[in-house]
Amino acid sequence: MVTQLLFFFFAACAGGSALAMVTRKNPVASAMWLIGTFFSLAAIYTLLGAFFIGIIQILVYAGAIMVLFLFVIMLLNLGNNLEADIRGTGWKVMAGGGGLVMLALLARVFAGDVPMPLGQQAGAAVLAAQQAERGTVGIIGIPLYQDFVVPLQATAILLLIAVVGAVMLAKRKV
Amino acid sequence: MESVPLQYTLGLSALLFSIGVAGVIVRRNAIILFMCIELMLNAVNLAFVALSATAGVQGQVFVFFVIAVAAAEAAVGLAIIIAVFRHSESVDVKNFSLLRW
């Protein structure tokens, strides 16, 4: 009961912050509301039992990625002369319609009897048992370095390419 | 610990994704478009975490990869925005037409 009440509270915070992020004119205010969404989502991950993902959410998303966004907003000095940023009424109607269509499609997918090919064999109880056996970090770290070694290396190469590419793109003269 | 029903979390995920889609349509500031894309990635992460309670811990491992790709995407995307800003003194997406046919 308490878990569900907390879930509804943080879900309302996440949804409200996301709406505020889309509707605020000032980019700095938008970024701050997005950070609010990220913190609420971190709380929801913790409620769902994914403690490590919750911490990573705060460290990487709210900590690193949003600092990058705010740094660029302030580097480009976008916070004070607010030009017309939100599109006109026709676009607003289109955005509302598009959002509702997307919501209906996703709700239809999620509300139906979703076949779970990965199986019901690993339920919440199995997850909790694994967490007790291997630790909070271990249930992610051990599969990451045993079953997902190739994707992990591919991610490492991707990050290297991204770092080199970002420096190349942002340099004045190559 | 008692659990939250799967449908609630998936519903919140769908709601956040739809807000992100509406934001991408309605905004013109390229940085805010990027933030809406981050919001959509987070909605997908939430679905992964919710389903990992029934389908195994692999969902949480995938969230890890999604976060790494999101970090790479933010770095490259913001570098492109800085390059475009240097060219046209604005981050409005109407200036991003250089690569369009």
Side-chain angles (χ1 to χ4, degrees), chain A residues 32-122:
Chain A
M32 288 301 169
W33 282 113
L34 189 60
I35 293 174
T37 309
F38 287 164
F39 270 101
S40 311
L41 279 175
I44 287 172
Y45 293 157
T46 311
L47 285 177
L48 292 172
F51 305 114
F52 184 62
I53 297 295
I55 291 292
I56 287 289
Q57 170 88 5
I58 291 178
L59 283 181
V60 176
Y61 262 118
I65 295 182
M66 287 320 289
V67 166
L68 197 62
F69 274 97
L70 281 172
F71 184 83
V72 170
I73 290 172
M74 293 179 180
L75 177 74
L76 303 183
N77 203 6
L78 300 175
N80 39 25
N81 57 339
L82 302 173
E83 50 190 291
D85 174 24
I86 302 176
R87 292 181 198 261
T89 316
W91 284 93
K92 276 182 194 158
V93 171
M94 217 164 91
L100 283 178
V101 166
M102 193 47 121
L103 189 60
L105 283 174
L106 287 173
R108 181 158 157 60
V109 171
F110 285 154
D113 279 334
V114 189
M116 302 244 177
L118 291 174
Q120 306 287 344
Q121 73 271 21

Side-chain angles (χ1 to χ4, degrees), chain A residues 1-4 7-8 11 14-15 18-19 21-25 27 30-31 34 37-38 41 44-50 52-53 56-57 60-61 65-66 68-69 72-73 75-76 78 83-87 91-92 94-95 99 102-103 106 110-111 116 118-120 122-124 127 130 139-140 143-144 148 151-152 155 158-159 162 166 169-172, chain B residues 1-36 38-39 41-43 45-47 49-58 60-76 78-83 85-86 89-94:
Chain A
M1 191 62 202
V2 180
T3 309
Q4 286 200 18
F7 173 79
F8 282 124
L19 270 180
M21 188 271 280
V22 172
T23 51
R24 291 307 97 186
K25 275 203 189 99
S30 281
L34 189 60
T37 309
F38 287 164
L41 279 175
I44 287 172
Y45 293 157
T46 311
L47 285 177
L48 292 172
F52 184 62
I53 297 295
I56 287 289
Q57 170 88 5
V60 176
Y61 262 118
I65 295 182
M66 287 320 289
L68 197 62
F69 274 97
V72 170
I73 290 172
L75 177 74
L76 303 183
L78 300 175
E83 50 190 291
D85 174 24
I86 302 176
R87 292 181 198 261
W91 284 93
K92 276 182 194 158
M94 217 164 91
M102 193 47 121
L103 189 60
L106 287 173
F110 285 154
M116 302 244 177
L118 291 174
Q120 306 287 344
L127 203 63
Q130 278 185 347
I139 56 162
I140 295 177
L144 193 62
F148 292 90
L152 186 71
T155 311
L158 177 76
L159 284 172
L169 282 168
K171 257 174 102 124
R172 276 174 200 278
Chain B
M1 198 167 82
E2 62 183 327
S3 58
V4 184
L6 184 62
Q7 309 299 347
Y8 293 177
T9 23
L10 290 181
L12 177 62
S13 164
L15 180 71
L16 289 179
F17 194 91
S18 308
I19 293 174
V21 169
V24 167
I25 296 174
V26 86
R27 298 305 293 253
R28 278 205 304 235
N29 189 331
I31 291 182
I32 293 180
L33 290 193
F34 260 92
M35 289 201 260
C36 291
E38 297 291 329
L39 183 66
L41 286 170
N42 264 277
N45 280 352
L46 181 61
V49 170
L51 287 167
S52 81
T54 58
V57 80
Q58 285 86 355
Q60 295 188 22
V61 179
F62 255 82
V63 171
F64 200 80
F65 289 126
V66 171
I67 290 177
V69 172
E73 172 245 330
V76 175
L78 289 171
I80 292 174
I81 288 175
I82 289 179
F85 183 84
R86 226 174 249 147
E89 290 292 313
S90 162
V91 291
D92 200 308
V93 280
K94 69 172 184 281

